[in-house]
């Protein structure tokens, strides 16, 4: 009896069934030794090439996003400049959602800014709805508030809770802003023909001094901002901030920043700066110059961390969330040689004294 044998080409299946394949492979009929060795050589070359690719891929390593940091990079910090819904402009999150996200990242506080509406009352609601995070608000002296209007400031700080702590001089309605972007022939003025702060501005500054409010220069030009700082000091204000000093419209030189700092003002650095410029993903940001982390770090090193505050100026639909943007800012500055102690100074100590000191 002839012993049972299983053709070698059938070892490729599990139990010898050929599943419709011919009893012998077609190549076996009339195949020569030369053809066999030629096929084997091609196969060997292919396997060698595959092995090389696998080895190369293995050398690169598997790449994944990093795990969540054991300590939040923005733990204990204050975002001095945020925008949330409801608003007249597209905002990705509302006040409560932003506060919840910040609380999850263990931030200390947020300052709610709105170009057209009061935020002192909204800060009170955030603290009620999201216990565990400090919220502050204020008023921007644009057209909807009556421009340079001392009464708007008086009623803002009286709002229940006392969380209205910031007064922004005109932003998008500022004379400097509308002329820079050619939005209108003129806007809300803060200085006169003599280059000095107008009487109405001085009246606002008197209220700010009495109530220890933070005066922010808004979208004034560098020379206008310096005039505001001088008038604020004359009025007795000791809490003054140059709004996003590096951004388009304001765009202070290093010498102007040094002068502002020497007069007691703090300079605001915001996370949105690196997202802006000609290549920005959102059209409105292409009109504002790009501010790199390297540039901001250079200003900090030259002028001193004690003269800066950190914020994001984020919240716009289509931009990173405020906590993510803040974490990006912190990481970007540290990558350019700014130490953690300097981050804490700018992100916690300086704004903390401005808002709560």
């Amino acid at each position: 009896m002839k012993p049972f044998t299983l053709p070698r080409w059938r070892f490729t299946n599990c139990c010898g069934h050929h599943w419709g394949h011919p009893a012998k492979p077609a190549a076996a009929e009339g195949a020569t030794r030369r053809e066999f060795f030629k096929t084997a050589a091609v196969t060997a070359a292919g396997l060698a090439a595959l092995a090389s690719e696998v080895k190369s891929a293995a050398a690169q390593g598997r790449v994944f996003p990093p795990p969540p940091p054991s300590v939040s990079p923005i733990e204990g910090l204050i975002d001095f400049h945020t925008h949330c819904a409801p608003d007249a402009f597209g905002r990705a999150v509302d006040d409560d959602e932003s506060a919840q996200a910040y609380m999850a990242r263990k931030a200390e506080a947020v300052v709610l800014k709105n170009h057209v509406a009061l935020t002192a009352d909204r800060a009170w609601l955030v603290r009620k709805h999201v216990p565990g995070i400090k919220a502050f608000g204020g008023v921007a002296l644009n057209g909807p508030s009556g421009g340079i209007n001392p009464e708007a400031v008086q009623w803002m700080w009286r709002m229940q809770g006392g969380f209205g702590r910031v007064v922004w001089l005109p932003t998008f309605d500022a004379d400097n802003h509308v002329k820079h972007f050619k939005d209108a022939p003129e806007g809300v003025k803060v200085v006169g023909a003599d280059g000095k702060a107008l009487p109405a501005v001085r009246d606002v500054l008197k209220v700010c001094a009495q109530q220890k409010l933070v005066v922010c220069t808004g979208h004034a030009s560098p020379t206008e901002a310096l005039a505001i700082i001088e008038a604020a000091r004359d009025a007795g204000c000791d809490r003054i901030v140059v709004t996003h000093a590096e951004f388009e419209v304001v765009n202070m030189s290093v010498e102007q920043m040094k002068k502002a700092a020497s007069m007691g003002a703090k300079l605001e650095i915001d996370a949105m700066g690196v997202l802006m410029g000609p290549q920005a993903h959102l059209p409105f940001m292409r009109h504002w110059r790009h501010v790199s982390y390297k540039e901001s770090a250079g200003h900090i090193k030259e002028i001193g961390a004690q003269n800066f505050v950190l914020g994001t100026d984020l919240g716009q639909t289509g931009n990173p969330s405020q906590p993510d943007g803040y974490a990006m800012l912190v990481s970007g500055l540290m990558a350019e040689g700014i130490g953690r102690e300097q981050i804490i100074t700018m992100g916690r100590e300086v704004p903390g004294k401005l808002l709560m000191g």
Side-chain angles (χ1 to χ4, degrees), residues 1 23 125 212 222 228 245 285 349:
M1 182 178 180
L125 287 168
K212 297 189 178 299
I228 292 166
M285 298 196 303
E349 301 303 327

Side-chain angles (χ1 to χ4, degrees), residues 68-206:
S70 56
V71 177
S72 169
I74 60 172
E75 181 174 355
L77 303 187
I78 298 169
D79 185 343
F80 199 78
H81 189 155
T82 69
H83 292 280
C84 301
D87 202 343
F89 307 100
R91 306 303 184 197
V93 293
D94 63 30
D95 296 335
D96 288 356
E97 291 167 333
S98 176
Q100 289 166 359
Y102 263 128
M103 190 172 67
R105 305 283 279 274
K106 300 184 179 180
E108 175 76 11
V110 294
V111 175
L112 307 175
K113 181 180 180 182
N114 192 295
H115 294 290
V116 300
L118 192 72
T119 55
D121 51 347
R122 291 164 61 162
W124 184 87
L125 287 168
V126 166
R127 288 177 180 242
K128 178 182 178 181
H129 297 162
V130 190
I133 193 162
K134 301 178 179 71
F136 297 92
V139 63
L141 299 182
N142 289 310
S145 298
I148 308 300
N149 182 4
E151 284 299 304
V153 179
Q154 288 281 16
W155 289 109
M156 182 277 293
W157 74 259
R158 286 189 171 97
M159 183 57 65
Q160 181 177 352
F163 305 129
R165 305 300 306 154
V166 185
V167 176
W168 292 274
L169 290 175
T171 55
F172 63 55
D173 279 342
D175 190 58
N176 178 61
H177 180 107
V178 301
K179 288 178 177 176
H180 180 87
F181 287 120
K182 298 179 174 57
D183 291 338
E186 63 179 20
V188 180
K189 292 181 170 61
V190 291
V191 300
D194 59 356
K196 302 292 184 180
L198 291 170
V201 173
R202 294 180 185 274
D203 290 341
V204 165
L205 296 175
K206 288 176 185 177

